[in-house]
Amino acid sequence: MTAPRVSTVAICLPVLLLLYGCTQSRQSASHGDAQRKAHQAESEVPRDRPPTAKTLYSMAEILATQGKDTECEFVLRRCVQEYPRFIPAYNSLAELQMRQGRIHEAIDSLTTALKIHPRDPVLSNNLGMCRLLRKEYDLALARFTDAAGLVPESEKYRANMATALALLGRQEESLSLLQQILPRERAEYNAEILRKAYDREAHPAVAPPPA
Amino acid sequence: MRTPGVVAICLLCGLMSGCEEEARTAADRRFDSEVVRTVNNIGVENAIITQHTLYPYHFDVDGERLNELGQRDFAVLARHFTEHPGLLNIRQDERISPELYKARVALVTRRLREAGIDPARMSLSDAMPGGTGVRSEQVVMILRKNADLSAKPSSGRTITQ
C-alpha cells in the first residue's frame, strides 16, 4: 500500500467510527419513553435490594400509561409508604384518585404530602383543584394563592386564583388577575364566562313545578 | 493527497459539531425554560405596575398583613415607585371593615417608607386601576362647552386656494 492511501484510510476510519457513534445515540434516543423507563427501572435495581423510589414511580407511570389503575395505585401506595419524602408519588396518587372521583382521598394524600413539604407549589395547586371540585372556593383560593406566592411568574396559578375568585363572586379581583396574564379582550371574555358560571351557581334556575 | 485529506478533515469537524449538538440539548432546554420564565415574569410585572393596585387577595384573610403573593407583588411596585413615585390603589370592598382597611393602609405606608420611598411623594387611594372614571355631570359640562364653541365662528383666516 502506498503512503497517500494509508493516510486516507487512517482519516476515513475515525470518520466511519464517528458516524457509527452518532447513529447509535440517535437510535437510543428514538426508543419509546415507556420502554426506556422500563429498562431504567430494571437496571437501577440490584437483585438483592428493594426497588428505589424512582423505580417504583417509573413502574407506576408505565402502569398508568397502560391504563392499569389498580396496579398503579398499589405501586404508588407502596412508594409513599416506603419513601414518604418522595413527593411526585403523592401528586400521581392524588391525580389518579381525582380521575376516579375520589376527591376526599386525593385531599388526604395531598394534605399528607404538604405536611412534609409545605412549600411545594404543585401540591398546593393540586389541593386547590380538589377544593375547587368540591366547590369549597375559599379553601381553593387559599391554596392557589399559596402556589402563586411561591411561583409568582406562573400564569397557571394566577389563572386558577382568578377562577376561584370569580366563583366567590369577587369579579373585579378575578378580572385584574386575568388581565395580568392575558390580552385585554381575552381576559374580559374569560371573566365573562366565569361571571356567568358564578351567576348560575348563585341563582340556580327554579325548576318548573310538575304538571 | 491534499484534497481528500482536507475533505476528510472538514467532514470530521462537521461530524464532531453534530455530536456536540446533541449533548447541548439538555442545557438548551434549561436555558429555554429560563427564558420563558423571565418573559412571563416581565409580562406579569408590567401588568402589576400598570394596575398599581393592591387587592384584598394580596392580604391575609381578615388580616392587615400582606400574604406571600402580596409581598412579591408589592416588591415589584416598590421597585417601580422608587424611581417613579405616583398613585397606589388599595382596594376596599364591603367585606372589609373601615378599621381593617385603615390598618392595611398604615401597613402599606410603613412598607413604602421601609423601601426608601417618601410617602409624601405617593398618593394612596381606594380607586380602581383605571381611575375613578369620568362622572356624568362632567360629561354634560364637556358637551355644553363643545356646543358653545361650535356655535361661535372660528377665529383666524380662511384658507383659500
Side-chain angles (χ1 to χ4, degrees):
Chain A
M1 208 182 271
T2 55
R5 271 195 192 166
V6 173
S7 64
T8 313
V9 169
I11 291 165
C12 285
L13 201 69
V15 171
L16 284 171
L17 276 172
L18 267 168
L19 263 168
Y20 177 71
C22 289
T23 333
Q24 273 300 93
S25 64
R26 203 165 296 149
Q27 267 179 0
S28 62
S30 66
H31 275 189
D33 245 17
Q35 212 173 346
R36 185 175 50 76
K37 278 174 187 162
H39 281 297
Q40 202 182 336
E42 270 174 28
S43 61
E44 265 181 25
V45 193
R47 299 272 158 110
D48 53 338
R49 283 176 59 189
T52 64
K54 278 187 181 174
T55 310
L56 287 171
Y57 186 67
S58 301
M59 204 185 291
E61 273 193 320
I62 295 162
L63 290 166
T65 318
Q66 292 170 345
K68 295 177 180 171
D69 276 1
T70 317
E71 292 87 340
C72 176
E73 186 174 347
F74 177 79
V75 174
L76 285 172
R77 282 195 184 282
R78 188 178 157 193
C79 188
V80 161
Q81 273 166 9
E82 289 180 17
Y83 304 97
R85 301 190 70 80
F86 187 72
I87 294 302
Y90 290 97
N91 271 322
S92 292
L93 183 60
E95 196 184 312
L96 188 143
Q97 289 163 333
M98 275 172 78
R99 214 169 44 234
Q100 295 182 339
R102 293 149 57 198
I103 311 293
H104 194 75
E105 288 174 57
I107 290 175
D108 284 347
S109 301
L110 293 166
T111 309
T112 309
L114 271 167
K115 277 179 192 156
I116 301 163
H117 281 271
R119 294 182 63 78
D120 187 297
V122 181
L123 287 173
S124 287
N125 181 68
N126 290 355
L127 185 54
M129 273 297 167
C130 290
R131 297 294 185 190
L132 201 71
L133 287 171
R134 285 174 63 97
K135 301 191 176 185
E136 296 165 342
Y137 302 130
D138 46 350
L139 295 175
L141 175 64
R143 296 288 75 80
F144 292 144
T145 309
D146 286 347
L150 291 164
V151 192
E153 72 276 8
S154 167
E155 296 180 349
K156 193 194 296 177
Y157 302 152
R158 286 191 191 248
N160 290 342
M161 270 183 79
T163 305
L165 280 165
L167 293 171
L168 281 165
R170 292 160 66 177
Q171 311 300 343
E172 184 200 330
E173 293 174 76
S174 170
L175 179 62
S176 84
L177 278 163
L178 290 171
Q179 282 174 341
Q180 288 171 8
I181 54 170
L182 291 172
R184 195 182 181 86
E185 277 179 21
R186 279 181 60 199
E188 282 168 3
Y189 176 75
N190 282 290
E192 183 58 18
I193 291 172
L194 289 169
R195 191 191 58 74
K196 280 180 184 165
Y198 168 72
D199 283 347
R200 263 200 305 275
E201 280 204 11
H203 316 288
V206 183
Chain B
M1 151 65 197
R2 273 191 187 168
T3 318
V6 168
V7 170
I9 288 167
C10 286
L11 242 165
L12 202 81
C13 290
L15 273 169
M16 281 180 86
S17 70
C19 289
E20 201 190 341
E21 195 70 13
E22 216 162 288
R24 274 177 50 202
T25 46
D28 285 351
R29 226 172 291 142
R30 250 198 321 275
F31 176 75
D32 287 348
S33 65
E34 274 306 309
V35 168
V36 170
R37 269 182 76 142
T38 311
V39 169
N40 278 355
N41 212 359
I42 291 168
V44 170
E45 285 189 5
N46 282 341
I48 290 166
I49 291 166
T50 307
Q51 291 177 346
H52 54 81
T53 303
L54 290 173
Y55 290 94
Y57 68 70
H58 283 121
F59 293 89
D60 286 345
V61 178
D62 298 329
E64 63 187 67
R65 283 174 46 185
L66 289 162
N67 59 29
E68 196 158 7
L69 179 67
Q71 287 177 33
R72 300 293 284 261
D73 286 0
F74 178 81
V76 173
L77 289 168
R79 254 199 325 269
H80 172 74
F81 286 135
T82 313
E83 287 184 21
H84 311 284
L87 175 69
L88 173 64
N89 300 318
I90 304 167
R91 293 294 287 147
Q92 183 182 21
D93 65 23
E94 67 277 4
R95 294 171 299 111
I96 301 164
S97 67
E99 293 77 30
L100 180 57
Y101 183 72
K102 264 187 198 165
R104 286 180 176 180
V105 172
L107 175 115
V108 171
T109 312
R110 198 169 65 240
R111 294 292 298 269
L112 283 170
R113 206 174 289 123
E114 283 167 7
I117 303 159
D118 181 6
R121 295 179 66 200
M122 291 286 303
S123 141
L124 298 182
S125 87
D126 173 31
M128 306 242 306
T132 49
V134 181
R135 280 159 56 184
S136 54
E137 306 96 89
Q138 285 173 306
V139 175
V140 172
M141 276 176 67
I142 291 164
L143 285 172
R144 195 176 296 156
K145 264 187 191 169
N146 284 349
D148 290 347
L149 281 173
S150 61
K152 285 179 191 164
S154 56
S155 58
R157 284 189 308 145
T158 310
I159 300 166
T160 52
Q161 277 183 337

